[in-house]
Coordinates of all heavy atoms in Angstrom, one line a residue:
H66 N 168.2 195.3 188.5 CA 168.6 196.2 187.3 C 170.0 195.8 187.0 O 171.0 196.2 187.8 CB 168.4 197.7 187.5 CG 168.7 198.5 186.3 ND1 168.1 198.4 185.2 CD2 169.8 199.4 186.0 CE1 168.7 199.3 184.3 NE2 169.6 199.7 184.7
H68 N 172.9 195.3 183.5 CA 173.2 195.2 182.0 C 174.2 194.2 181.7 O 175.4 194.4 181.8 CB 173.7 196.6 181.6 CG 172.9 197.7 181.8 ND1 171.8 198.0 180.9 CD2 172.8 198.8 182.7 CE1 171.2 199.2 181.3 NE2 171.7 199.5 182.4
H221 N 165.2 203.8 182.4 CA 166.0 204.7 183.3 C 165.3 206.1 183.4 O 164.8 206.7 182.6 CB 167.4 205.0 182.6 CG 168.2 203.7 182.4 ND1 168.2 203.1 181.2 CD2 169.0 203.2 183.3 CE1 169.0 202.0 181.3 NE2 169.6 202.0 182.5
V257 N 164.3 203.1 187.0 CA 165.6 203.0 187.6 C 166.2 204.3 187.8 O 166.2 205.2 187.0 CB 166.4 202.2 186.4 CG1 167.8 202.0 187.0 CG2 165.8 200.9 186.0
H258 N 166.9 204.3 189.0 CA 167.5 205.5 189.5 C 166.7 206.6 190.2 O 166.8 206.7 191.3 CB 168.5 206.1 188.3 CG 169.5 205.3 187.8 ND1 170.5 204.7 188.4 CD2 169.6 204.9 186.4 CE1 171.1 204.0 187.7 NE2 170.7 204.0 186.4
D309 N 173.2 197.8 187.9 CA 173.4 198.8 186.7 C 174.7 198.2 185.9 O 175.3 198.9 185.3 CB 173.5 200.2 187.1 CG 173.1 201.1 186.0 OD1 172.5 200.6 185.0 OD2 173.4 202.3 186.0
Ligands
ZN1 ZN1 171.0 201.1 183.7

Side-chain angles (χ1 to χ4, degrees):
H66 181 67
H68 296 283
H221 298 100
V257 183
H258 302 300
D309 205 14

